[in-house]
Amino acid sequence: MDIITAVLLDDETKNNELLKIYLKRYCPSIRVVALASIKKIDELKPKIIFLDIVLADGTGFDVLEQIQHENFHVIFVTAFQEYAVTAFKFNALDFLLKPIDPIELTAAVKKSILI
């Protein structure tokens, strides 16, 4: 099984920690390499970015417009379903609503493996 690198970007630490636990438990092929900033994403070049939409200093869409690294998938993890259409315009691989359902998380990760 290939290891897939991932970065988590949510401004709420508890959300990052919970997602990290879920990934370890339900998606062992995912290795979280950072709870990150744009600089870390460009430096580490992860295959998947788990990205919140509403952040303290902007939006996940703002983040995507600033990232230089190009070869990655985005899985949005948010409490705001009204952003779903916009997320897919940003080529989201998937859109997960909080609280995270482990079955939906596993399905989203499987999509990244198939692509």
Side-chain angles (χ1 to χ4, degrees):
M1 170 183 350
D2 290 337
I3 297 298
I4 299 167
T5 57
V7 165
L8 313 183
L9 204 158
D10 190 316
D11 57 344
E12 294 183 39
T13 306
K14 65 181 171 114
N15 291 335
N16 280 326
E17 292 302 323
L18 181 60
L19 180 54
K20 192 173 179 180
I21 290 167
Y22 277 12
L23 289 167
K24 185 174 183 177
R25 182 176 300 156
Y26 300 109
C27 306
S29 63
I30 300 293
R31 184 179 60 170
V32 176
V33 293
L35 306 179
S37 62
I38 295 165
K39 182 179 176 184
K40 278 286 188 193
I41 291 169
D42 286 334
E43 176 185 318
L44 297 170
K45 299 179 179 12
K47 173 141 179 162
I48 302 176
I49 300 171
F50 290 89
L51 181 61
D52 191 9
I53 291 179
V54 178
L55 302 168
D57 56 352
T59 69
F61 307 124
D62 298 331
V63 170
L64 290 176
E65 290 176 343
Q66 296 175 49
I67 294 171
Q68 301 298 312
H69 170 52
E70 294 179 359
N71 192 19
F72 64 89
H73 299 293
V74 177
I75 297 175
F76 284 101
V77 182
T78 185
F80 301 95
Q81 67 184 14
E82 61 267 23
Y83 291 105
V85 172
T86 305
F88 286 105
K89 288 181 180 179
F90 274 83
N91 295 318
L93 181 65
D94 213 325
F95 188 91
L96 303 176
L97 287 173
K98 296 174 186 174
I100 299 168
D101 178 327
I103 294 169
E104 291 179 10
L105 175 63
T106 303
V109 168
K110 283 182 181 176
K111 285 182 194 177
S112 74
I113 294 168
L114 297 174
I115 295 176

